[in-house]
């Protein structure tokens, strides 16, 4: 329970008496990470305060009025106002803070990487990373937000460290996705792409791209992505086309690309081949009806159909089984085991195909394929539609009969079923087999079913001529060895085993796609009639690869030794797999293959880091490594960081059909409950599940989602990176981090702005900051302590960034800013300013140092609020034009100096914490300032030293603990009656004198009423949980809720009873 957690936290704080402060650091960090500010009340508090911004009709964007006003604001004027401390809003508003800064950064070229400068420094002083190019069809989703948060944080950190930093942006043409969208759009207008022809259709796609595509890049600006926009690349740009064509030609001429007529993974919906890793497999464990794209009715999967083939000129039959009964139209044989006694006399016999008159089918033996102990021991063979059967067909030189057209309808080889859809045929054949007396039933069959990743279509193995990259031999060894030798570092290293498993089983890569939108394959089929060379398009040998037809003609003439006039050429209609051009992205974006005078390629390749999700480790990362070796003989980067994948807060995969997708724009700009519920209703869930999810939205976000801003979203996403493979994302966590930003905002305003005549600014605008004048050794303990904590934070943040530990990094930053600087230090220094103490100037310098270095430390994660506050700081000699190009802070040695000081402060802070806790339990007025008595236990060492530390810092304890005079007692008899006590483990007892500050009988009466009310609630709940058949009838969710309530009531009673006993002792 939360009360137990608070008890545990209290005991940990008390343990600081005997333990070094830093030894408890990870406990404190993990506590704040997982438990602090996680209550649902945070949502209600913030949404109520933001009610005017998130109305019932709030959409995905900020109010139109604000957007219109911004259009007419001159940037220079807007920035001048933002830098003016006197115009600082009272409360943090992400919309106001985040506007204007990105345009200024972009216009100022702060993110541009100078190739010439890169050439003048060592490779270790450069940082190069390519963005995972989003599809031109993409809209911003939380996965994009995550990789932008990670990559931008790393890039900004390197840039601030003085490294020449290139984060290169790009956009992928998304062959299948884009073509599908445009085809659908044309069909709505009654236009078929084949009617237009290739060139006119491509014109239409380019029109769509220019009008609608690439909007996501603008959204990346909203996320603060500090990419080098001058080097933006689209994968179909002329320069990229040149690189892709050159890559194909070089690999073709080295026999690393070849053509083969073989079975491929075919999507009938998209009418194209797919590579193995583009097929998603689902385990079907029981019969299941699935709606297949292109079919009106669902089809049954997860069953095995038994039927019989009659033996020609005999009354015998062979019973075979199949999960795909429609493929029997392509059967050419039935295989048995050579030693199976049941079929010895049938080997070589002919079988009668019930639907294809004249089809020659033979009983053959194949001991590789057939297990005589399984089923009937007889296996139907369809070489053109099954991978195992294909191998059997090759071994036994069987005929390969394709029964499918590209769209999944049955072709002329399907006899009476010609023109029917494949799964409609499935149901029809079963009925026809029954009519012929050949159907023998069906049974449940566990199976793995392949689906097209993009269309959801059921994949068909289909014979098609395709182009392949040879992935065997030396390249596979290189890909394995580079990771083993740590030449390529994969972070987290748990994914190394995934890498080895995949590369060791590496198959050749099918790179051709039956599309028009994309990089057309630069291969030409050669026909020379007088030499008898008249190949079909399926031919595997008579091809040349060239940049254009003229060059192809030259190459063909040379290859075949004939005059060019004798040659006819036909370019392949297919395009290259989108992943082929993406695999070249690290160097084609830098101008490869042009080498002469290419400063970008010379100085920015190879790169350093590749960051992406672990779900495309083999789609993209492995292919880049392969192509880097093939074409540049170098690894394209030395480190791969794989971020986790985002799921909803319950651990479920995000899906539009479930309505549980988190839209980053909803989080940044805010949205209404109505919008969230509508999104659920737009899904395809059954009604009962839809009702449940709608109810959950109403419970989680009764007032919608308030505008949290980009900084809070980025920080939360990075915080979740403490998990490896998946993160369960709760929007309430982001709302909590939005409150964290508000705390930083208020701390800044408290320190620098005019808050009224009775509270002057802690750092006046005419204050001159001189870091060199900061004399650490002459500062009071509290100032030394906060500088040590700042130093400790910076050291650990740098270490986390170097090792890609983003989750831990956020813990260190939040612990410093929230729990040390805001909650402790700012409270502790109030008397310095309120009483105008002598140490005021030194404390002002410390405050300024914290904001200067602390904001710079935080900037890579939260670029907008840090720029806003940095610009409001009074100018000083070393202040940078923008925080984005200011130097990242480094250790000043304060943390090393403050080892003993941290132990001393832990003692003082723990005493103050105990005092606050005791005062809170007793309901003492805040201005009571009761006396405090400290009694060290007998086994405590260094009592005199500890006592002196307390006495020397009495004012600090008074301020932090809201106490009066502090008394050091040597024996328990000296403690006056009327105190409440907190035992601080084995070090000391802390007594708070409350008798003169509280009506004790009234408090006893209050506690007795609370105990009676809690006991009544517990009794009612106990009756509910004791009814007959409670365990069987009550839903598990309700039982869990009741169990939690029961435990909370019990804990509350224990706490209230202890408080009551303490008060009775005071009478």
């Amino acid at each position: 329970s939360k009360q137990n957690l608070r008890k545990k936290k209290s005991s940990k704080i008390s343990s600081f008496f005997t333990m070094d402060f830093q030894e408890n650091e990870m406990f404190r960090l993990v506590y704040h990470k997982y438990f602090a500010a996680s209550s649902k009340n945070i949502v209600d508090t913030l949404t109520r305060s933001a009610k005017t911004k998130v109305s019932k009709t709030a959409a995905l964007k900020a109010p139109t009025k604000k957007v219109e006003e911004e259009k007419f604001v001159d940037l220079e004027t807007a920035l001048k106002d933002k830098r003016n401390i006197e115009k600082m809003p009272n409360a943090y508003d992400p919309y106001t803070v985040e506007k204007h800064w990105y345009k200024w950064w972009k216009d100022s070229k702060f993110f541009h990487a100078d190739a010439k400068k890169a050439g003048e420094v060592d490779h270790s002083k450069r940082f190069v990373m390519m963005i995972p190019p989003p599809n031109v069809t993409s809209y911003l989703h939380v996965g994009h937000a995550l990789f932008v948060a990670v990559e931008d944080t790393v890039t900004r950190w390197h840039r601030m460290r003085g490294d020449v930093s290139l984060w290169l942006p790009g956009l992928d043409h998304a062959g299948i996705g884009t073509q599908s969208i445009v085809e659908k759009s044309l069909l709505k207008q009654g236009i078929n792409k084949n009617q237009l022809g290739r060139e006119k259709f491509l014109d239409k796609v380019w029109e769509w791209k220019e009008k609608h595509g690439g909007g996501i890049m603008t959204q990346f600006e909203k996320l603060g992505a500090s990419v080098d926009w001058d080097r933006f690349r689209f994968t179909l740009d002329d320069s990229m086309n040149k690189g892709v064509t050159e890559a194909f030609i070089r690999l073709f001429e080295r026999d690393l690309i070849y053509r083969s007529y073989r079975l491929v993974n075919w999507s009938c919906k998209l009418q194209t081949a797919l590579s193995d890793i583009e097929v998603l497999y689902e385990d079907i464990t029981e019969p299941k009806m699935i709606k297949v794209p292109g079919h009106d009715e669902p089809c049954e999967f997860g069953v095995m159909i038994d039927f019989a083939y009659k033996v020609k000129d005999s009354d015998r039959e062979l019973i075979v089984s199949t999960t795909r009964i429609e493929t029997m139209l392509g059967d050419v044989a039935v295989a048995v085991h050579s030693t199976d006694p049941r079929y010895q006399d049938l080997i070589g016999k002919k079988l009668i195909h019930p639907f294809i008159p004249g089809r020659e089918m033979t009983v053959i033996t194949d001991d590789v394929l057939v297990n005589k102990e399984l089923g009937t021991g007889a296996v139907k063979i369809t070489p053109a539609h099954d991978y195992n059967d294909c191998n059997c067909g090759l071994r036994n030189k069987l005929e390969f009969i394709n029964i499918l057209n590209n769209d999944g309808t049955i072709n002329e080889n399907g006899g009476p079923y010609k023109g029917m859809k494949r799964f409609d045929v499935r149901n029809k054949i079963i009925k026809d087999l029954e009519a012929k007396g050949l159907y023998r039933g069906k049974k449940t069959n566990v199976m793995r079913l392949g689906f097209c990743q993009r269309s959801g279509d059921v994949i068909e193995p289909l014979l098609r001529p395709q182009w392949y990259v040879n992935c065997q031999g030396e390249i596979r060894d290189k890909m394995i060895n580079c990771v083993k030798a740590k030449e390529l570092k994969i972070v987290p290293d748990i994914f190394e085993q995934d890498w080895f498993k995949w590369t060791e089983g590496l198959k050749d890569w099918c790179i051709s796609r039956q599309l028009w939108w994309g990089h057309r394959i630069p291969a030409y089929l050669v026909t020379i009639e007088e030499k008898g060379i008249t190949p079909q398009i399926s031919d595997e040998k008579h091809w040349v690869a060239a940049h254009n037809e003229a060059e192809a003609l030259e190459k063909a003439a040379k290859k075949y030794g004939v005059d060019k006039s004798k040659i006819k050429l036909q370019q392949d209609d297919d395009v290259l797999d989108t992943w082929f051009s993406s695999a070249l992205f690290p160097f084609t974006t830098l101008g490869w293959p042009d080498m002469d005078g290419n400063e970008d390629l010379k100085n920015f390749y190879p790169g350093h880091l590749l960051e992406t999700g672990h779900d495309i480790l083999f789609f993209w990362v492995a292919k880049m490594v392969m192509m880097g070796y093939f074409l540049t003989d170098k690894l394209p980067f030395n480190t791969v960081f794989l971020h986790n994948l985002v799921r909803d807060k319950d651990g479920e995969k995000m899906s539009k059909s479930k309505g549980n997708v988190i839209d980053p724009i909803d989080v940044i700009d805010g949205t209404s409950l109505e919008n969230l519920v509508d999104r659920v209703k737009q899904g395809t869930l059954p009604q009962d599940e839809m009702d449940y999810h709608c109810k959950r939205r109403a419970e989680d976000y009764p007032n919608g989602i308030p505008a949290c801003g980009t900084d809070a979203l980025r920080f939360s996403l990075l915080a979740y990176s403490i998990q490896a493979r998946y993160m369960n994302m709760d929007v309430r966590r982001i709302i909590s981090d939005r409150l964290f930003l508000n705390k930083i905002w208020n701390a800044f305003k408290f320190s620098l702005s005019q808050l009224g005549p009775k509270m002057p600014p802690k750092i006046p605008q005419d204050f001159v900051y001189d870091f060199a004048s900061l004399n650490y050794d002459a500062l009071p303990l509290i100032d030394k302590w906060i500088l040590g904590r700042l130093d400790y934070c910076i050291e650990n943040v740098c270490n986390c960034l170097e090792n890609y530990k983003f989750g831990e990094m956020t813990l260190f930053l939040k612990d410093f800013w929230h729990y040390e600087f805001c909650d402790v230090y700012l409270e502790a220094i109030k008397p310095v300013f309120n009483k105008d103490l002598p140490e005021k100037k030194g404390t002002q310098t410390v405050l300024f140092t914290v904001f200067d270095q602390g904001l710079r430390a935080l900037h890579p994660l939260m670029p907008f609020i840090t720029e806003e506050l940095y610009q409001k700081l009074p100018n000083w000699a070393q202040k940078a034009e923008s925080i984005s190009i200011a130097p990242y802070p480094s250790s000043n040695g304060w943390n090393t100096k403050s080892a003993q000081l941290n132990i001393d402060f832990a003692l003082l802070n723990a005493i103050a914490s105990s005092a606050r806790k005791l005062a809170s339990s007793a309901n003492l007025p805040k201005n009571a300032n009761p006396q405090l008595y400290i009694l060290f236990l007998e086994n405590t060492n260094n009592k005199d030293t500890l006592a002196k530390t307390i006495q020397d810092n009495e004012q600090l304890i008074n301020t932090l603990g809201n106490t009066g005079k502090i008394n050091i007692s040597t024996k328990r008899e000296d403690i006056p009656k009327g105190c409440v006590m907190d035992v601080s483990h084995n070090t000391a007892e802390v007594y708070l004198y409350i008798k003169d500050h509280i009506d004790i009988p009234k408090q006893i009466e209050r506690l007795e009423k609370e105990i009676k009310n809690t006991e009544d609630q517990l009794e009612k709940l106990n009756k509910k949980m004791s009814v007959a058949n409670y365990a069987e009838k009550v839903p598990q969710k309700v039982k869990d809720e009741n169990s939690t309530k029961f435990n909370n009531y019990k804990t509350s009673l224990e706490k209230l009873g202890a408080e009551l006993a303490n008060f009775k002792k005071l009478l």
Side-chain angles (χ1 to χ4, degrees), residues 39 362 448-449 452 521 593 612 710 715 738 957:
S39 170
T362 308
R448 293 193 78 208
L449 191 61
C452 171
I521 294 175
T612 190
T710 293
F715 191 85
R738 193 256 195 230
I957 297 175

Side-chain angles (χ1 to χ4, degrees), residues 147-157 167 224-226 714 860 863:
F147 88 64
V148 169
V150 171
E151 294 180 21
D152 191 52
T153 295
V154 175
T155 304
R156 286 178 183 269
W157 178 61
W167 184 20
S226 61
R714 287 170 54 128

Side-chain angles (χ1 to χ4, degrees), residues 514-777:
Q514 289 60 54
L515 304 169
W516 288 350
W517 174 248
H519 299 275
R520 189 171 179 180
I521 294 175
Y524 297 80
L525 182 64
V526 178
T527 298
I528 308 173
E529 292 183 356
E530 70 174 33
K531 279 201 166 191
I533 300 174
T534 56
Q536 299 297 311
I537 198 70
S538 58
D539 181 81
E540 300 177 2
K541 297 180 180 179
H542 300 292
W543 293 85
V544 292
H547 295 89
N548 50 56
E549 187 170 337
E551 182 182 274
L553 204 56
E554 293 283 352
K555 288 186 175 183
K558 183 176 179 180
K559 178 178 180 179
Y560 292 99
V562 299
D563 188 87
K564 290 188 289 186
S565 62
K566 308 292 185 181
I567 299 171
K568 292 182 180 179
L569 297 176
Q570 179 185 351
Q571 186 176 357
D572 195 340
D573 282 332
D574 293 348
V575 299
L576 288 164
D577 177 12
T578 300
W579 292 108
F580 187 88
S581 55
S582 296
L584 309 175
F585 203 76
F587 44 92
T588 53
T589 52
L590 299 173
W592 185 93
D594 294 337
M595 307 296 288
D596 294 340
N598 189 339
E599 294 294 317
D600 276 10
L601 189 62
K602 176 183 175 182
N603 297 322
F604 292 130
Y605 184 83
H608 298 78
L609 176 66
L610 189 284
E611 192 281 339
T612 190
H614 64 77
D615 56 329
I616 59 172
L617 177 60
F618 308 118
F619 276 102
W620 188 39
V621 181
K623 291 182 171 69
M624 283 188 286
V625 171
M626 181 190 302
M627 289 300 173
Y629 274 135
F630 274 151
L631 297 168
T632 71
D633 201 29
K634 296 176 183 177
L635 278 169
F637 31 76
N638 56 42
T639 303
V640 175
F641 176 76
L642 301 171
H643 65 243
N644 42 13
L645 304 183
V646 186
R647 295 189 170 181
D648 73 7
K649 66 186 181 68
D650 299 317
E652 293 186 18
K653 185 177 180 180
M654 290 189 186
S655 164
K656 288 183 181 179
S657 63
K658 293 180 181 178
N660 65 343
V661 173
I662 297 174
D663 188 332
I665 302 299
D666 284 352
V667 177
I668 294 171
D669 291 341
T671 192
S672 66
L673 173 61
E674 182 181 3
N675 282 341
L676 297 172
V677 170
D678 284 346
R679 195 167 293 135
V680 176
K681 292 179 178 179
Q682 290 167 9
T684 57
L685 291 172
Q687 190 61 47
D688 57 339
E689 292 185 41
M690 185 177 293
D691 292 342
Y692 169 75
H693 283 286
C694 288
K695 181 182 177 183
R696 287 291 302 274
R697 296 296 178 277
E699 291 173 351
D700 292 341
Y701 315 112
N703 297 305
I705 298 175
C708 296
T710 293
D711 285 334
L713 173 63
R714 287 170 54 128
F715 191 85
S716 295
L717 289 169
L718 291 167
Y720 274 115
S721 295
I722 209 162
Q723 304 160 15
R725 289 187 182 269
Y726 301 98
M727 65 166 70
N728 297 346
M729 184 177 174
D730 190 343
V731 173
R732 290 176 294 183
R733 170 59 195 265
I734 305 172
I735 297 172
S736 169
D737 285 331
R738 193 256 195 230
L739 290 175
F740 169 47
L741 270 75
N742 192 65
K743 199 169 187 73
I744 294 174
W745 182 270
N746 288 337
F748 186 92
K749 190 171 180 64
F750 166 79
S751 301
L752 274 84
S753 64
Q754 290 281 0
L755 302 179
K758 293 184 179 181
M759 188 175 284
K762 312 309 172 194
I763 302 177
Q765 286 294 291
D766 60 357
F767 174 78
V768 178
Y769 176 51
D770 181 11
F771 178 72
S773 69
L774 187 65
N775 185 356
Y776 174 85
D777 294 328

